[in-house]
Amino acid sequence: MNSNDLWIVFTAIAVALICALPGCFLVLRRMAMVGDAISHAVLPGIVIAYLLSGSRNTMYILPGAAAAGMLVTVLIEWLQKRLRVQSDASIGLVYTLLFAIGVILVTAFTAQTDLDQECVLYGEIAYVPFDMMSIVDGGFSAPRQLWIASGLLTVLIIVITLGYRGLYLSTFDPGYATAIGISVVFWHYILMSMVSLAAVVSFESVGAVLVVALLTGPPAIASLFAKRLPLMLLLACVFGVLACVFGYLIASFLNASISGSIAVVIGVLYAFSLVIKKIFF
Amino acid sequence: MGWISDFLLLNDPTLRVVVPGVLLLCGMSAAVGCFTFLRKKSLIGDAVSHSVLPGICIAFILNGEKNIFYFLLGAMISGLASVLIIDYLTKSRFARNDTAIALMLSVFFGLGIVLLTYIQHQGNASQAGLDSFLFGKAASLNKDDLMIFGISSLLIFLLIAFLLRGFSLVSFDDSFAMSIGFPVVWLKSLLSVLTVWSIATGIQAVGVVLMAALLIAPALAARMWTNSIIKMLLLAGIFGMLSGYSGAFVSYALPQMPTGPWIVVMASVIAFGSLLLAPRKGLFSQIIERNNNEKKILQENILKIFYHIDEKSGETQKAVLQEDLLNQRSFSNRNMRKGLRILERKNYLSNHLGAWSLTSSGRVEAKRIVRLHRLWELYLQEYLHLDPDHVHDDAEAMEHVITPEIEAQLDVLLGNPTIDPHQTQIPSKDE
């Protein structure tokens, strides 16, 4: 492995971690498909932020795309509560519309955004080593994507640690949480913004659909073994890291998409875990 | 504007294939989508549409060339595999349904991407265009494709026509269908196969990522307009074809534009339009209905005040100032003015120099409402044994919705009463 390979794997691991942490709460709240919707819907947000700000600067893209992610959750809830559309159809309707708009914008403004249809689906994690930056001039240099992902990871860890009680109670027992004065709605939106941010940051590296694999896969595997939330969070991170390492090895062996291979490894890990659980637990 | 008529008259030979092809695909998936929608399984359709990708790639690897028969076969197999795995995971409680769907969707799609990139890096020249399955390739459909779409739509149409009763029963109430002896398991499996089949063919138009929209959006739109399954199927088919047609039009007008996403945008516009505009269930008509209700309640409450004032003073059609009305019952000034104006227009009230009084038709109406209110209070006391001081609030709500039929029943049930629980007179019906 040379340093490029290492940078790619490190970036993949950072992305896997920022998805696994909020992903655990999504899986526990039965909102995995809302995560799917958010991860598709950030696309038009990213493109519009590109076009409006005229730059790739993360400072503009992140809030713009995260806003699109939030818009999706609000729209889905509005369809369900106000128009009483069944939940599966409201999710399916909203995310396909936003993603289609995103693809149309990408096609129309390819030159301005340096995004193309394929990068939207696969991501471009193989190119992260070509975009290095250092925080201090002449200081330690690492891929831009890795900086951003690590920054978000730090934020997520802080939010989850400080807000653990609120997130935990509003996930497992919303009624009790409300009774002791914890705002379930507030923590819902905190979670949704964590998912949106994770989706935006991961989007460029792994593409729309594979964000879903990272959001739901490691937490789903962890939930097979863990009976307590802290253990589930920890296991999800471990499985996320494993998937990245093995996924990268398979991808370089087959000369195929890295993000796709990571998703396949997640599937294989899940299948193994099912077998182990059936035999030993 | 020659190109518009070129499109409408199908002057271009490719259009003669593309337009009918897209119409067939969209109509077919919309009809099948109705059943997945009614069974609340729209997201399974999403999972299936992502899951057909590895099947297509494997078919290409084994066969070495692009052949629609093998593609369909491969797509069917991997699509059905993902449905079965999702079913297994959900039933065995290893994962909840949403997690199982999200996981299978992304893992199968990931496998598809791995195979697709693997094929692309192999340098086989005939692989070019394989990636068009991602977002559809409506513009490059050929006559073979068209024939297959024709045959599959015909098959799906016939199956739905012959098995409509069974399909609708399992979609609406499968335990009832089971209890009257329908082969529920078979019908459900057949519906799943039809879903996978229509997805496997439909992805040629819009691609795997957006295929779910072709199943969901037309069905959702159609459901807003009708309660009959046959009308819903027809409407969904029409909506699907309409979005296919307009999507094809956009990509003909702007050739660099992808057809699939435009079809999806059109279908979503129709769906959102229906959600807003449909009679009865749509957002606007709900808002209108609620406003009308509020207006009706406001008017009836104002009329009641006049009746109460008449009753207290012993006069009939006593003239009252607006301020005195407000003392009787709290209304916002604005609502009060609005209500009075409407009632004057309806000739229930008349206004002389700022003082309002009931007209004779207004008095009849006011009496009707007071009568309903007091009948309901008495009913609550007699039959639910509520205390007289607990019955008023409930009657406040019920008086606005009691129909003449219920009024007659109440009258019989209570034996033509004349006195309510508060010892006031219940106005008689005739006069």
Side-chain angles (χ1 to χ4, degrees):
Chain A
M1 272 201 179
N2 61 30
S3 69
N4 278 359
D5 296 315
L6 277 179
W7 285 134
I8 294 174
V9 175
F10 281 144
T11 311
I13 288 175
V15 165
L17 295 180
I18 57 178
C19 289
L21 292 175
C24 286
F25 293 99
L26 275 187
V27 166
L28 290 171
R29 287 171 180 233
R30 309 176 187 211
M31 294 178 71
M33 289 310 284
V34 177
D36 178 59
I38 291 178
S39 66
H40 282 80
V42 295
L43 175 62
I46 292 175
V47 183
I48 292 172
Y50 265 140
L51 294 174
L52 288 184
S53 69
S55 83
R56 284 189 70 129
N57 192 324
T58 317
M59 285 297 113
Y60 302 111
I61 305 301
L62 215 54
M70 297 301 284
L71 174 72
V72 144
T73 48
V74 173
L75 254 181
I76 291 175
E77 269 163 43
W78 181 73
L79 284 178
Q80 282 178 18
K81 300 219 170 107
R82 186 74 181 78
L83 291 171
R84 297 201 202 104
V85 179
Q86 59 199 48
S87 80
D88 61 329
S90 45
I91 293 175
L93 182 69
V94 171
Y95 101 78
T96 47
L97 173 62
L98 284 171
F99 194 68
I101 293 175
V103 174
I104 289 172
L105 289 175
V106 167
T107 323
F109 300 102
T110 311
Q112 287 96 313
T113 56
D114 9 309
L115 273 168
D116 59 28
Q117 290 187 0
E118 304 211 331
C119 129
V120 164
L121 288 180
Y122 317 170
E124 43 190 19
I125 198 167
Y127 303 124
V128 292
F130 305 125
D131 187 8
M132 305 288 276
M133 62 173 249
S134 49
I135 290 185
V136 215
D137 270 338
F140 177 68
S141 161
R144 194 178 56 91
Q145 279 288 313
L146 182 55
W147 282 116
I148 298 170
S150 322
L152 180 61
L153 181 61
T154 320
V155 173
L156 290 186
I157 292 175
I158 292 172
V159 171
I160 291 177
T161 320
L162 293 182
Y164 185 78
R165 201 171 120 85
L167 282 168
Y168 176 84
L169 282 176
S170 61
T171 299
F172 286 103
D173 196 344
Y176 175 64
T178 313
I180 61 168
I182 291 173
S183 165
V184 176
V185 178
F186 173 75
W187 289 107
H188 171 77
Y189 281 107
I190 288 285
L191 177 62
M192 288 302 121
S193 28
M194 290 201 287
V195 174
S196 301
L197 286 171
V200 187
V201 171
S202 324
F203 192 94
E204 274 189 72
S205 322
V206 296
V209 185
L210 302 164
V211 177
V212 187
L214 292 175
L215 276 174
T216 51
I221 303 173
S223 72
L224 289 175
F225 302 111
K227 291 273 173 282
R228 297 171 57 83
L229 183 57
L231 182 62
M232 180 174 170
L233 288 165
L234 185 71
L235 279 182
C237 292
V238 172
F239 285 116
V241 172
L242 282 180
C244 290
V245 175
F246 286 110
Y248 184 72
L249 293 177
I250 292 179
S252 32
F253 177 70
L254 286 176
N255 188 17
S257 154
I258 298 167
S259 49
S261 309
I262 294 175
V264 173
V265 171
I266 287 175
V268 174
L269 280 176
Y270 190 78
F272 265 129
S273 311
L274 277 189
V275 174
I276 290 173
K277 183 167 166 95
K278 274 210 137 176
I279 298 174
F280 294 107
F281 287 84
Chain B
M1 288 287 113
W3 56 271
I4 293 184
S5 63
D6 277 352
F7 181 84
L8 296 175
L9 300 171
L10 302 183
N11 275 341
D12 188 330
T14 43
L15 279 179
R16 262 172 248 154
V17 176
V18 172
V19 171
V22 168
L23 289 182
L24 285 172
L25 285 179
C26 295
M28 175 170 75
S29 17
V32 175
C34 286
F35 295 109
T36 44
F37 174 83
L38 291 172
R39 292 170 71 204
K40 301 198 162 59
K41 297 212 168 212
S42 299
L43 291 175
I44 298 267
D46 192 18
V48 170
S49 63
H50 285 75
S51 307
V52 298
L53 191 59
I56 291 172
C57 295
I58 291 174
F60 178 81
I61 292 174
L62 294 179
N63 186 39
E65 60 177 89
K66 279 184 289 187
N67 179 318
I68 182 169
F69 293 101
Y70 291 107
F71 281 165
L72 280 176
L73 190 67
M76 283 292 285
I77 293 171
S78 64
L80 281 173
S82 88
V83 173
L84 290 176
I85 296 176
I86 290 172
D87 265 1
Y88 168 75
L89 289 179
T90 312
K91 285 209 181 106
S92 63
R93 292 166 183 270
F94 282 126
R96 286 176 186 139
N97 192 243
D98 64 308
T99 311
I101 291 176
L103 190 64
M104 279 311 116
L105 175 156
S106 52
V107 169
F108 269 74
F109 188 77
L111 180 62
I113 297 286
V114 168
L115 293 171
L116 193 60
T117 43
Y118 172 76
I119 294 169
Q120 282 169 343
H121 296 156
Q122 290 296 297
N124 180 340
S126 64
Q127 62 82 21
L130 199 58
D131 57 354
S132 61
F133 279 103
L134 294 173
F135 290 108
K137 51 153 196 169
S140 59
L141 294 176
N142 61 35
K143 286 215 167 102
D144 284 350
D145 298 334
L146 190 58
M147 198 183 68
I148 288 188
F149 301 161
I151 295 171
S152 0
S153 340
L154 190 68
L155 268 176
I156 287 180
F157 176 78
L158 288 176
L159 271 173
I160 291 179
F162 280 113
L163 298 173
L164 181 62
R165 210 175 122 72
F167 283 166
S168 356
L169 267 177
V170 293
S171 305
F172 285 111
D173 190 347
D174 57 352
S175 30
F176 175 65
M178 183 118 54
S179 70
I180 60 170
F182 271 83
V184 172
V185 177
W186 279 104
L187 285 168
K188 277 187 183 170
S189 316
L190 189 58
L191 271 181
S192 296
V193 172
L194 279 190
T195 311
V196 178
W197 178 254
S198 65
I199 289 171
T201 33
I203 50 164
Q204 314 239 3
V206 296
V208 296
V209 188
L210 293 172
M211 184 57 213
L214 275 198
L215 291 174
I216 299 170
L220 173 59
R223 184 70 186 86
M224 296 302 292
W225 297 88
T226 175
N227 286 327
S228 128
I229 179 85
I230 297 179
K231 282 186 199 152
M232 180 179 167
L233 284 165
L234 287 176
L235 263 182
I238 292 170
F239 287 151
M241 290 191 199
L242 209 60
S243 26
Y245 192 73
S246 42
F249 177 74
V250 172
S251 74
Y252 182 74
L254 308 163
Q256 78 282 10
M257 279 292 175
T259 321
W262 274 108
I263 296 179
V264 171
V265 168
M266 296 301 179
S268 311
V269 168
I270 295 177
F272 274 101
S274 306
L275 284 170
L276 297 181
L277 301 175
R280 285 205 301 282
K281 286 185 204 152
L283 182 65
F284 291 154
S285 59
Q286 273 183 19
I287 291 175
I288 291 170
E289 195 183 321
R290 204 179 51 203
N291 277 347
N292 284 344
N293 256 335
E294 275 168 10
K295 251 192 242 166
K296 180 174 172 245
I297 291 172
L298 174 70
Q299 294 168 36
E300 295 185 348
N301 284 340
I302 294 177
L303 284 177
K304 263 191 331 190
I305 306 177
F306 280 95
Y307 189 88
H308 290 149
I309 290 175
D310 278 8
E311 201 173 39
K312 252 183 234 159
S313 66
E315 301 173 37
T316 41
Q317 302 173 3
K318 183 175 159 61
V320 195
L321 292 170
Q322 193 174 322
E323 297 85 68
D324 297 334
L325 289 171
L326 285 169
N327 288 337
Q328 295 284 322
R329 189 188 172 106
S330 64
F331 285 102
S332 73
N333 251 323
R334 198 168 142 264
N335 271 344
M336 175 60 96
R337 270 201 305 277
K338 192 170 93 183
L340 289 173
R341 225 175 25 241
I342 300 172
L343 288 166
E344 189 184 13
R345 212 182 313 135
K346 283 191 173 169
N347 197 26
Y348 285 157
L349 292 180
S350 59
N351 186 355
H352 291 291
L353 307 165
W356 297 86
S357 60
L358 286 170
T359 62
S360 50
S361 60
R363 188 172 158 79
V364 172
E365 177 68 6
K367 211 166 147 185
R368 183 184 70 83
I369 297 149
V370 173
R371 175 177 152 81
L372 292 179
H373 180 96
R374 292 180 181 168
L375 274 177
W376 189 254
E377 286 186 332
L378 189 60
Y379 172 75
L380 287 180
Q381 193 198 18
E382 296 274 301
Y383 284 84
L384 272 78
H385 305 293
L386 291 183
D387 289 339
D389 54 340
H390 278 66
V391 293
H392 174 77
D393 291 340
D394 198 42
E396 274 294 295
M398 286 301 289
E399 67 195 13
H400 306 292
V401 291
I402 292 176
T403 59
E405 292 82 6
I406 301 178
E407 182 192 348
Q409 278 189 8
L410 283 173
D411 215 18
V412 172
L413 216 53
L414 299 167
N416 301 315
T418 51
I419 300 294
D420 80 351
H422 309 298
Q423 308 308 319
T424 41
Q425 188 86 28
I426 299 179
S428 61
K429 192 176 166 64
D430 318 304
E431 191 185 331

